[in-house]
Structure formats: C-alpha cells, structure tokens
Amino acid sequence: MSTSTVSASVDSTTKAIANARIREAGATPNSVIRDLWAHIASTGDIPMYDDSSSRRSRKQTAMQRLEALRATVPSGTPLATMSDSEIREELRNRHV
C-alpha cells in the first residue's frame, strides 16, 4: 500500500500539549492521524468537537492549572521563580 504525507499548521503550544497527551495514551501523532483519516474514509463521518468553551474560559482554566502546578513545586527550583511568559517559553523549547 502506498502512503502519502498529511500536514497541517497547529499552534506550537497546542502541539506540545497534544503530543504529551497522545504519548500518555500510548499512541503517536501518526497513529492518531491515520486512525482519524481511516475513520473518515470508512464512515464518511467527520468528528465534531465541542468548542463551546470561549478562549477566555480556556485561558482561565490554563492559568488555574499553572497556579496549581506552581503550588506543588518545591521552593528554590527554577519553575518557582519563573514568570508566566518564561514558563511558556520553556515549554515551547522542549521537544515534546
């Protein structure tokens, strides 16, 4: 069977988070995309995802998670003293 490459542009932060969650589930980005394409090809159904959350509520949730993470970090570690933008930059620079 021949294969083709599928590509898409995704926000860097979204990609990093999704890659981590995909790995946690024991999958790979390729397997997720292959499964999605196979599902669409065999059923004709394109899954719809609930996007009822506003950007503001997603940002608030992310900030709450960040504060919860900071609360668990021992004092004296680099994360404990980093600003929000420094943490975002650190996560962007990781190969996730």
Side-chain angles (χ1 to χ4, degrees):
M1 169 189 352
S2 69
T3 62
S4 296
T5 300
V6 176
S7 67
S9 297
V10 180
D11 173 87
S12 298
T13 303
T14 301
K15 177 185 175 194
I17 293 168
N19 281 346
R21 290 187 175 167
I22 289 168
R23 254 196 334 275
E24 288 169 5
T28 66
N30 278 342
S31 67
V32 170
I33 293 168
R34 276 194 309 269
D35 290 348
L36 175 61
W37 254 238
H39 171 79
I40 294 169
S42 67
T43 66
D45 177 44
I46 299 173
M48 294 300 181
Y49 304 97
D50 180 16
D51 194 22
S52 59
S53 306
S54 69
R55 282 189 163 269
R56 174 173 280 147
S57 67
R58 286 189 299 236
K59 185 174 183 177
Q60 287 171 338
T61 300
M63 292 304 293
Q64 290 168 347
R65 288 181 179 168
L66 176 59
E67 290 306 317
L69 173 64
R70 279 193 174 145
T72 65
V73 173
S75 59
T77 63
L79 185 60
T81 59
M82 294 171 83
S83 69
D84 294 347
S85 59
E86 291 170 328
I87 292 171
R88 278 194 288 277
E89 186 64 26
E90 175 67 25
L91 292 173
R92 266 191 224 107
N93 290 333
R94 292 184 180 190
H95 297 287
V96 216

